[in-house]
Amino acid sequence: MTEHKHHHDHSHAPSSLSRRIFLRRSSGVTLAAAISVTMGGALLNAEESWALEVKGLRPETLKTLILLSRDIYPHDRIADRYYAIAAKPFDQKAAADPAQKEMFEKGVAELNALAGPGGYVAVPWEADRVALLNKISSTAMFEAVRSALVVSLYNQKEIWPLFGYEGESYSKGGYIHRGFDDLDWL
Amino acid sequence: MVAKFELNDDNVVVIIGSGAGGGTLGNELAQKGVNVVILEAGPRLTTDDFVNDEWESFAQLAWTDARTTSGTWRVAKNFPNLPAWIVKSVGGTTTHWAGASLRFQPHEFKTLTTYGKIDGANLLDWPITLEELEPYYARAEDKMGVTRTNGLPGLPGNNNFKVFKAGADKLGYKECNTGRMAINSVERDNRNSCQQTGFCFQGCKWGAKWSTLYTEIPKGEATGHMEVRPQSRVLRIEHDDAGKVNAVVYVDKDGNKQRQKARIVCVAGNSIESPRLLLLSASSKYPQGLANSSGQVGRNYMRHTTGSVYASFDKPVHMHRGTIMAGAIHDEARNDPSRGFVGGYNLETLSLGVPFMAAFLDPGAWGRTFTSAMDDYPNMAGLWIVGEDMPQEKNRVTLSATVKDKLGLPVADVHFDDHPNDVAMRNHAYQQGRKLYESVGAIRTFPTPPYPSTHNLGTNRMSAHPRDGVVNKWGQTHDIKNLFVSDGSQFTTGGAENPTLTIVSLAIRQAEYIAQQMSVRAI
């Protein structure tokens, strides 16, 4: 409830994405491996054909925050790009406010220190990463990330179909002729 | 012809707030030829402005001015600056409400007599009875077009209701139907019938749900006796040397401070802002705030004992389709202390969209337990608990010692602790909700904690004796005869019913009293 704004901003993704990668994660590639840092300091996910400019944080920090976002709200059917969109405001906040930047950078550095060699993104099992998150779950950074994500992830209209949620209905005349009482299994 | 009154017109009734209480009172007075100025903090929207989008609508409608919270209620932890989910716009929370329109039960006007003294509870009988209010309930139901009254058909049940009803039947509940709703089941009063759109909470774009925004307010304006001033933020109520209120100071839509003279002032800003305003209006004559000789202003804050139960099934429900509050079970509303608590509760269907479900299902939760529940969204059904909570003196609205609003005034702090009776009732309702859904095949059930309060009650309560409360049986303050309270803060106790119908009924009744008292020059 701390965040009332809409999050419709998008990463630099080509508009003609194939159906396969429109929503679902591609199989077989871990998120840590799927996202690379380019020479220019952007994040690139070649499999899903998107790139994300990084302006306020270290690119590796934002990459970690994207993985952390998936670990906080893991939906296997949702592609990385939507977690990237959800996490992008952290970079924007860091660019606009040095105190926010310090919070994210310090918070991620602490998480990486807890994780050991290679940092958080190198921990292969989700359960082990979640154990690390439990250790930092009372920190200001974790709560800032989680409370923003609960809006910036679930308020993306593009992922609503995965939840069977149909969104706006007034323009279609409501559901009076479109299944408001179509349940037939009782 | 819409009226326009002078700031120095000291014969007008000034009403602060335009929701169920203020909007209704304004129209009722205007219909009787009384000149009314309504000061509304929020903007004036139309049904075209409403959006079928939960967060966007929240930003458009909700009262998000700073407030603080304290106490052990979970809202203070998860939503520390949002104790209440109420509206700042013309029409107030009648733009957002779900429409359930239930009369109080007889015993709910006599809780001290019926329940007896209960530790920690500041119970009191209302100074009025159900019999006295019945004619006004009837007029309110007619005004609002409540289904299943006056020959109006009930609304059709949606998918969420079908699951609810099947479970109710399995549990042996006898009183389950699609409810008494102030939502048109047929075209009526120049308003559309319900198109089962969902988004009742976001403002009904069809105007099928009763709201003062497009019923009472334009009707009042059409008399030529009512002026509504949107975006008018009241700072304080002033009084003369004799102690009678005589003006309301506010900041207008352009940011300029104005002072509207008044013959009578009626406060209808909902149960957080109304006591705050009385407290902010403290003066050398009234150092504890206006109408506060009892010390009860701001106390006895009630919010109903609420909570939700969501349940997931192995087949689709699509609960978001259609009326949000699509039906109710009244069997548990009776007072039956053998259940381990006094008072009762209603169960009413409820649904949230994905954005709000994520925020409210289990606030603060994360990880796969939470996300697997979200993954079940299409197969979910849901209900809401609304039960009588105990008035407690320590549950109260006070002025913050530390936080000020944009106008430099202390914000409201809302303190709330559950009473053991509230906890026992909620746990009983959670159990019944779980049994209900499991009886029709639920795979998982989710006992969801109360949302930020939509039913805010009791902070300027009615009492027979001035020492026990703030207003008398007409909503007139005990201390100042031309100062009235016209919203749910008058409630002596909360009942188990959604409060809007009672607020509207009290406003109709209060308008009669005010007009009569004006005509005999008593005020």
Side-chain angles (χ1 to χ4, degrees):
Chain A
M1 242 40 190
T2 50
E3 192 85 356
H4 305 136
K5 290 191 195 77
H6 252 198
H7 297 276
H8 290 318
D9 44 347
H10 294 265
S11 57
H12 297 200
S15 54
S16 57
L17 290 166
S18 74
R19 185 69 194 164
R20 181 177 64 87
I21 58 172
F22 176 58
L23 288 167
R24 286 164 191 274
R25 272 222 82 210
S26 52
S27 58
V29 188
T30 67
L31 184 141
I35 300 177
S36 57
V37 179
T38 68
M39 294 287 282
L43 299 185
L44 177 70
N45 184 320
E47 184 73 16
E48 292 184 9
S49 308
W50 58 262
L52 182 61
E53 263 187 276
V54 190
K55 291 172 181 162
L57 295 168
R58 294 173 60 242
E60 293 78 7
T61 301
L62 184 58
K63 175 177 168 173
T64 304
L65 287 172
I66 294 170
L67 176 55
L68 184 150
S69 296
R70 181 181 280 286
D71 288 337
I72 291 176
Y73 292 124
H75 292 283
D76 300 333
R77 299 179 298 165
I78 294 180
D80 292 340
R81 55 181 279 108
Y82 299 103
Y83 288 97
I85 292 168
K88 189 180 171 186
F90 305 136
D91 182 56
Q92 292 166 331
K93 283 178 193 166
D97 180 356
Q100 290 278 311
K101 178 173 177 170
E102 191 189 337
M103 180 187 72
F104 288 121
E105 291 291 1
K106 227 174 126 187
V108 169
E110 283 168 11
L111 184 60
N112 283 334
L114 283 174
Y120 186 77
V121 299
V123 177
W125 281 95
E126 179 185 313
D128 294 331
R129 295 194 301 274
V130 166
L132 294 172
L133 293 182
N134 272 314
K135 290 183 183 171
I136 65 154
S137 63
S138 58
T139 64
M141 185 205 68
F142 182 88
E143 186 48 26
V145 168
R146 191 210 59 75
S147 64
L149 268 182
V150 79
V151 178
S152 64
L153 177 64
Y154 294 104
N155 205 34
Q156 294 181 57
K157 292 184 170 71
E158 294 79 3
I159 67 169
W160 289 349
L162 282 178
F163 296 97
Y165 180 56
E166 297 163 283
E168 191 276 336
S169 78
Y170 171 76
S171 69
K172 301 174 187 116
Y175 293 102
I176 195 158
H177 304 301
R178 296 191 309 125
F180 81 101
D181 63 349
D182 64 357
L183 186 151
D184 60 2
W185 50 263
L186 279 164
Chain B
M1 182 66 194
V2 175
K4 182 128 184 61
F5 298 106
E6 298 295 325
L7 288 167
N8 63 6
D9 184 340
D10 59 4
N11 203 39
V12 295
V13 174
V14 176
I15 300 174
I16 301 160
S18 64
T24 302
L25 177 67
N27 180 34
E28 291 287 319
L29 287 172
Q31 298 294 334
K32 299 175 198 302
V34 175
N35 289 338
V36 174
V37 172
I38 295 184
L39 300 175
E40 165 56 53
R44 188 161 184 159
L45 304 169
T46 69
T47 52
D48 285 344
D49 296 324
F50 294 148
V51 285
N52 277 188
D53 182 303
E54 290 179 320
W55 282 120
E56 190 180 344
S57 176
F58 185 86
Q60 179 184 54
L61 293 175
W63 188 293
T64 52
D65 295 17
R67 285 170 175 154
T68 60
T69 48
S70 54
T72 53
W73 57 329
R74 187 161 160 187
V75 168
K77 176 175 181 277
N78 299 126
F79 307 104
N81 299 116
L82 193 77
W85 182 356
I86 54 182
V87 171
K88 185 179 181 180
S89 83
V90 174
T93 305
T94 64
T95 57
H96 163 78
W97 77 309
S101 300
L102 306 173
R103 296 185 183 195
F104 268 41
Q105 304 165 75
H107 76 269
E108 289 169 333
F109 290 97
K110 301 173 193 161
T111 56
L112 181 58
T113 301
T114 310
Y115 306 156
K117 273 202 164 313
I118 292 176
D119 279 351
N122 194 20
L123 287 169
L124 188 69
D125 291 353
W126 287 59
I128 56 174
T129 62
L130 176 62
E131 296 71 45
E132 281 176 84
L133 203 54
E134 268 172 347
Y136 300 96
Y137 270 139
R139 284 168 62 182
E141 286 161 353
D142 182 50
K143 178 194 280 293
M144 299 160 79
V146 176
T147 58
R148 291 194 164 80
T149 73
N150 299 301
L152 292 170
L155 289 159
N158 66 2
N159 290 333
N160 202 19
F161 176 75
K162 283 185 171 180
V163 178
F164 182 78
K165 178 71 165 71
D169 290 347
K170 282 268 170 93
L171 292 198
Y173 284 143
K174 302 294 180 215
E175 301 170 65
C176 175
N177 58 44
T178 57
R180 289 189 169 202
M181 304 297 296
I183 296 176
N184 276 352
S185 54
V186 292
E187 285 184 29
R188 186 179 186 275
D189 198 23
N190 292 314
R191 292 188 286 115
N192 288 303
S193 60
C194 176
Q195 303 299 302
Q196 299 290 335
T197 298
F199 298 100
C200 301
F201 290 161
Q202 283 69 38
C204 178
K205 289 186 71 64
W206 302 97
K209 179 186 77 182
W210 180 85
S211 168
T212 56
L213 173 63
Y214 39 76
T215 58
E216 304 305 302
I217 286 165
K219 286 176 185 181
E221 287 174 328
T223 65
H225 292 290
M226 186 168 117
E227 179 187 354
V228 179
R229 296 181 197 157
Q231 294 172 275
S232 297
R233 192 56 204 280
V234 174
L235 304 174
R236 68 180 176 274
I237 300 165
E238 297 187 336
H239 62 79
D240 61 19
D241 292 344
K244 282 174 65 179
V245 295
N246 64 357
V248 176
V249 178
Y250 67 98
V251 174
D252 72 12
K253 61 181 177 6
D254 302 314
N256 299 316
K257 200 180 278 189
Q258 306 290 358
R259 184 175 185 273
Q260 174 65 53
K261 289 187 178 176
R263 177 168 167 184
I264 294 168
V265 176
C266 303
V267 183
N270 209 315
S271 292
I272 296 175
E273 291 307 309
S274 288
R276 176 179 178 233
L277 182 57
L278 296 181
L279 295 172
L280 286 173
S281 302
S283 64
S284 55
K285 187 174 180 66
Y286 298 119
Q288 303 305 313
L290 298 184
N292 197 20
S293 64
S294 65
Q296 293 291 307
V297 170
R299 292 188 185 272
N300 312 305
Y301 170 70
M302 295 172 288
R303 59 182 311 259
H304 275 147
T305 292
T306 69
S308 292
V309 179
Y310 291 97
S312 61
F313 296 83
D314 63 358
K315 296 193 182 67
V317 177
H318 299 302
M319 67 172 171
H320 62 277
R321 295 180 184 173
T323 323
I324 299 302
M325 200 163 273
I329 294 168
H330 306 304
D331 295 69
E332 301 285 1
R334 71 193 189 283
N335 176 43
D336 173 7
S338 74
R339 291 173 298 181
F341 53 89
V342 298
Y345 60 88
N346 286 287
L347 299 172
E348 298 166 348
T349 80
L350 197 79
S351 66
L352 298 174
V354 160
F356 276 6
M357 186 60 79
F360 293 118
L361 176 67
D362 186 7
W366 56 279
R368 287 203 179 258
T369 303
F370 174 79
T371 56
S372 65
M374 289 299 298
D375 285 336
D376 277 341
Y377 182 84
N379 298 357
M380 262 191 203
L383 62 80
W384 194 52
I385 300 155
V386 52
E388 180 167 29
D389 58 340
M390 290 295 106
Q392 300 181 72
E393 278 205 306
K394 63 176 181 166
N395 286 347
R396 63 188 293 207
V397 173
T398 54
L399 300 180
S400 170
T402 51
V403 183
K404 290 194 163 54
D405 68 12
K406 287 176 198 150
L407 302 169
L409 299 172
V411 305
D413 181 75
V414 182
H415 179 95
F416 191 87
D417 300 311
D418 277 322
H419 188 278
N421 196 75
D422 305 343
V423 175
M425 180 187 291
R426 183 180 294 113
N427 287 339
H428 188 273
Y430 277 152
Q431 187 184 26
Q432 292 307 107
R434 181 172 59 79
K435 281 188 199 164
L436 182 150
Y437 287 126
E438 285 178 353
S439 77
V440 283
I443 297 165
R444 290 167 78 185
T445 59
F446 309 97
T448 293
Y451 313 122
S453 318
T454 49
H455 299 175
N456 299 271
L457 303 167
T459 49
N460 295 303
R461 73 176 184 177
M462 241 185 221
S463 64
H465 197 289
R467 90 185 151 231
D468 296 326
V470 179
V471 300
N472 67 14
K473 65 192 290 188
W474 308 105
Q476 181 179 31
T477 63
H478 288 301
D479 297 352
I480 304 173
K481 66 178 181 180
N482 68 336
L483 175 61
F484 288 77
V485 174
S486 315
D487 57 21
S489 67
Q490 300 174 82
F491 283 31
T492 310
T493 49
E497 291 74 24
N498 312 57
T500 299
L501 181 74
T502 302
I503 294 171
V504 171
S505 304
L506 290 172
I508 297 170
R509 181 170 167 276
Q510 186 180 69
E512 276 186 1
Y513 178 75
I514 289 175
Q516 183 270 334
Q517 291 285 295
M518 288 176 82
S519 70
V520 301
R521 311 292 300 173
I523 47 176

